Every structure is written in C-alpha cells, then in structure tokens.
C-alpha cells in the first residue's frame, strides 16, 4: 500500500479547473519528483496531500486513511510540508524556528523536553544550520533561511516529507547537500515528494 497517495484528484476554483483527475502514489523509501511548467498545479497538489486544500473530487490518503478525516495535529505528526515561500517577520533565533516543528508532538500547555531538543539538534546538524542556532532568522541569507525551514520540517520527525521547490534559493553546493539528505532519509524509510 502507498504511504501517501492521491486518487483521481480534481480541483476547481472559481470555474477554473486547476487539477483534473490526478493520481500519485508516494511509497515508503521513495523520493518522487513532480515536474512541469509553472501554473499547472504542482504546488496545489502538494497542498492537497498536506491537508491544506480540499479537492473538488477524489481524495488524498495517508496509509489508506483519507487525509480530510485526520485532525491537523495527527496529520502533522506524520506529514511535514515545506512551502515554496517561507515568511517570518519576527526575529526569532533559528533554534526557536526549528523548535516550532515540534509543535505537533507537544500538548497544549507542554514545554519542550529533552526529546524535542534532541530532534531539533539533529535536524539542524543534518541541514548544516546548527551554527546558526542563536542568529535571528530575519538576518539569515535566503539559502540559510531555506535550510533552517528544512530543518524545521525534519524536526517534526515525519514519515512523509512534502517539499515545494526546496532548493530554489540554494547555491549548487547546498542544493546537493539538501537533495542528498532527502535521499538518505528515504533510504531510512521516509517518503519524500518534491516539486
């Protein structure tokens, strides 16, 4: 069974057909790429898989369960989504931004614990951003910020990683690092789908 899938998904917005009967299976251990010209619905498809949009027809499923029936917190414990553009207007230290990825694992009034700190440290080490931990995220370069937000998605410890143009702001060396990291995570059993 596919870990994450969309079956005959269509989305119509204001009379315009954005997606028309699209199906895709993302299996554990696979890194799947979605390619195509601008404006054909690639990002929209990822947002449906992340539970952020509801299709007009068809459905997205996670291990056979419709994403629409899962609560946001339960879905976020298993699926991490890195949008094409990330915006943060407050000068939070990079460590705190990555720690925000732990939110689905914390209770309503819970404080972060050792397990959360370990997940953040590991995610930042994997993405090469640990040295930025104390820096305000608003002072980071575009590439440093993108790697910090990738670390935030990894800190969620998801089974499925949905990435929308994850290397667009990175130089070639960091593009290779990011893609090799995702490939390595897939070898460990993660599912990754990237535009």
């Amino acid at each position: 069974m596919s870990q994450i899938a969309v079956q005959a998904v269509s989305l119509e917005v204001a009379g315009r057909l954005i997606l028309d009967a699209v199906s895709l299976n993302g299996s554990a251990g696979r890194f799947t790429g979605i390619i195509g010209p601008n404006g054909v619905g690639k990002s929209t498809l990822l947002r449906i898989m992340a539970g952020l949009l509801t299709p007009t027809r068809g459905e997205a499923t996670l291990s056979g369960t419709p994403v629409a029936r899962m609560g946001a917190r339960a879905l976020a414990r298993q699926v991490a989504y890195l949008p094409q553009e990330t915006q943060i207007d407050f000068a939070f230290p990079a460590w705190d931004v990555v720690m925000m990825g732990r939110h689905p694992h914390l209770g309503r009034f819970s404080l972060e614990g050792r397990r959360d700190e370990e997940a953040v440290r590991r995610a930042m080490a994997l993405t090469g951003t640990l040295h930025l931990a104390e820096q305000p995220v608003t002072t980071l370069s575009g590439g440093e910020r993108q790697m910090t937000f990738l670390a935030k998605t990894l800190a969620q410890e998801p089974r499925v990683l949905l990435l929308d143009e994850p290397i667009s702001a990175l130089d070639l060396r960091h593009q290779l690092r990011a893609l090799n990291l995702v490939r390595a995570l897939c070898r460990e059993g993660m599912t990754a789908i990237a535009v």
Side-chain angles (χ1 to χ4, degrees):
M1 179 189 301
S2 297
Q3 190 162 12
I4 192 159
V6 288
Q7 261 81 44
V9 162
S10 296
L11 181 68
E12 191 173 322
V13 177
R16 181 173 171 238
L17 192 60
I18 308 295
L19 295 172
D20 186 14
V22 176
S23 296
L24 174 80
N25 293 315
S27 301
R30 295 198 78 174
F31 186 1
T32 302
I34 301 173
I35 60 171
N38 291 337
V40 297
K42 301 179 305 289
S43 297
T44 300
L45 183 62
L46 279 190
R47 294 187 74 208
I48 288 171
M49 295 173 90
L52 300 172
L53 287 176
T54 302
T56 308
R57 288 180 299 284
E59 67 181 357
T61 59
L62 180 65
S63 298
T65 302
V67 167
R69 287 196 209 145
M70 299 179 74
R73 184 179 295 270
L75 184 61
R77 285 185 184 131
Q78 298 184 64
V79 177
Y81 168 67
L82 180 62
Q84 195 174 117
E85 294 181 23
T86 54
Q87 182 66 30
I88 194 160
D89 295 324
F90 298 100
F92 293 114
W95 176 274
D96 292 352
V97 170
V98 178
M99 184 62 80
M100 291 174 192
R102 296 301 298 164
H103 176 73
H105 300 281
L106 299 173
R108 179 170 278 173
F109 299 107
S110 299
L111 295 175
E112 301 90 3
R114 181 181 310 235
R115 174 113 170 71
D116 303 302
E117 291 174 4
E118 288 170 0
V120 168
R121 189 170 287 107
R122 179 176 186 265
M124 293 187 85
L126 286 171
T127 57
T129 57
L130 196 51
H131 70 286
L132 303 172
E134 298 304 317
Q135 284 214 317
V137 74
T138 53
T139 67
L140 301 180
S141 72
E144 289 171 332
R145 185 179 300 194
Q146 195 157 11
M147 291 301 278
T148 298
F149 277 92
L150 177 58
K152 177 181 174 274
T153 62
L154 296 180
Q156 276 181 248
E157 298 182 314
R159 291 177 24 215
V160 177
L161 197 55
L162 303 174
L163 307 165
D164 195 352
E165 298 192 28
I167 60 172
S168 60
L170 303 178
D171 60 37
L172 184 58
R173 182 172 65 98
H174 287 96
Q175 286 179 2
L176 292 172
R177 179 184 187 135
L179 292 175
N180 285 332
L181 170 58
V182 175
R183 283 180 37 201
L185 293 170
C186 288
R187 282 194 294 271
E188 294 174 9
M190 185 179 283
T191 301
I193 299 176
V195 169

